[in-house]
Amino acid sequence: MDVTVAADRAALVKARDSLGPGRIALVPTMGALHEGHRSLVRLAREHADHVVVSVFVNPLQFGPHEDFSRYPRTFDADLRVCEEEGAGVVFAPSAEDMYLPDRQVEVSAGGMGGTAEGAFRPGHFDGVLTVVLKLFNLVRPDVAVFGQKDAQQLALIRRMTADLDVPVSIVAAPTVREPDGLALSSRNRYLSEDDRRTALALSRALSAGAARARTGPAGVLDAARAVLEEAARFDPPLLLDYLILADPATFAPVGGDHRGEAVLAVAAKVGTTRLIDNMVLTL
């Protein structure tokens, strides 16, 4: 299937109008597409007649010491993925086309954006929500698909659409993992062989916590923390940023007597690469 590339707003309007009648699904990405992204596009096709994939490395969600300049950019390969998975349009704007030079207004993620990932990356979720809202306004999709791997991002996007009455249905796609359990990420390509062995502690910790779900929050966290503490002694070591058992809707830490659904989320650095992962549990 041929895919239309829209490199700016005007081209996007023309490409969108050429899709014809039917529901439109948006899959926002920063490129460097892998099997996880393929699963997003496949799920989008189940929910709509046409799929638009955005490929845009959003500068607003990177901090001053983060990896914006080295974030992988593989547009030709990304385009092939979109063609193979049946996307109709790829929207690949420049930062100059997305943002006015005298930009003043951004979306605030509020207190919900300051916990867990937001505590370690101040302003990150403001940048995420700003670009997502802009993409919603530009593409005008009926539905948008996001990965469960970015659980806090997913929760915040759902909250934004509810709080601001954005007429887009949000669909979550399950996390796709490699055979050894490592969650697929564009940043996995930065891992050396030794880094990767250490990084596997993330998924092992989540599984250990999930196995203790019947014991309640304390048991879940203790089991996961034990795996992570062991990995801190590996070479290279796993350097933990946070381990949290959170309400999936608000991402606030759950209380000791919590029952029902919760998200066990972890973030850590291995070598020069920072990774996140999570698992949804029923306590």
Side-chain angles (χ1 to χ4, degrees):
M1 177 179 178
D2 291 334
V3 61
T4 300
V5 178
D8 56 36
R9 296 163 184 249
L12 175 65
V13 171
K14 184 177 179 180
R16 187 193 186 283
D17 291 346
S18 71
L19 291 174
R23 287 167 57 82
I24 292 177
L26 170 66
V27 179
T29 83
M30 292 206 300
L33 304 185
H34 49 64
E35 188 62 32
H37 295 105
R38 287 181 183 270
S39 74
L40 301 183
V41 180
R42 292 170 194 153
L43 185 58
R45 292 184 65 193
E46 295 178 14
H47 287 267
D49 303 285
H50 312 285
V51 177
V52 177
V53 177
S54 64
V55 176
F56 177 63
V57 184
N58 175 34
L60 293 194
Q61 67 192 70
F62 287 81
H65 303 296
E66 294 183 342
D67 62 347
F68 175 74
S69 61
R70 74 173 187 134
Y71 192 88
R73 290 160 171 84
T74 58
F75 185 71
D76 290 343
D78 296 343
L79 193 58
R80 287 195 296 273
V81 169
C82 293
E83 289 174 335
E84 290 165 3
E85 297 302 334
V89 175
V90 171
F91 179 42
S94 66
E96 291 74 23
D97 195 62
M98 282 295 288
Y99 297 117
L100 297 173
D102 60 346
R103 170 179 49 83
Q104 298 290 319
V105 178
E106 295 181 9
V107 178
S108 170
M112 187 175 166
T115 64
E117 193 70 3
F120 282 85
R121 303 179 69 188
H124 168 69
F125 287 120
D126 294 351
V128 169
L129 295 184
T130 297
V131 77
V132 168
L133 184 59
K134 287 174 72 67
L135 289 169
F136 285 173
N137 288 333
L138 290 167
V139 177
R140 306 193 313 279
D142 300 284
V143 60
V145 180
F146 295 88
Q148 175 63 40
K149 177 178 171 288
D150 295 291
Q152 189 172 8
Q153 171 181 283
L154 175 64
L156 277 159
I157 290 168
R158 282 178 165 155
R159 187 59 188 255
M160 178 183 73
T161 60
D163 284 352
L164 301 183
D165 297 308
V166 182
V168 178
S169 298
I170 306 302
V171 174
T175 301
V176 177
R177 298 184 180 277
E178 300 195 39
D180 58 10
L182 189 67
L184 282 177
S185 169
S186 300
R187 291 183 169 93
N188 288 355
R189 67 188 66 199
Y190 300 151
L191 298 171
S192 69
E193 188 174 333
D194 289 340
D195 290 343
R196 188 183 181 90
R197 280 194 291 269
T198 296
L200 293 177
L202 295 180
S203 58
R204 288 202 305 269
L206 297 178
S207 296
R212 296 285 303 279
R214 285 181 173 273
T215 68
V220 169
L221 289 168
D222 286 347
R225 193 174 292 113
V227 175
L228 299 171
E229 288 175 351
E230 180 185 14
R233 299 189 290 272
F234 291 174
D235 183 18
L238 183 140
L239 305 177
L240 182 67
D241 277 353
Y242 62 82
L243 174 69
I244 184 174
L245 190 60
D247 183 303
T250 66
F251 242 76
V254 301
D257 59 351
H258 179 82
R259 295 296 180 267
E261 198 171 83
V263 179
L264 182 61
V266 63
K269 194 171 185 180
V270 181
T272 60
T273 304
R274 188 173 183 276
L275 300 171
I276 64 172
D277 201 352
N278 72 86
M279 191 172 288
V280 180
L281 316 176
T282 300
L283 296 165

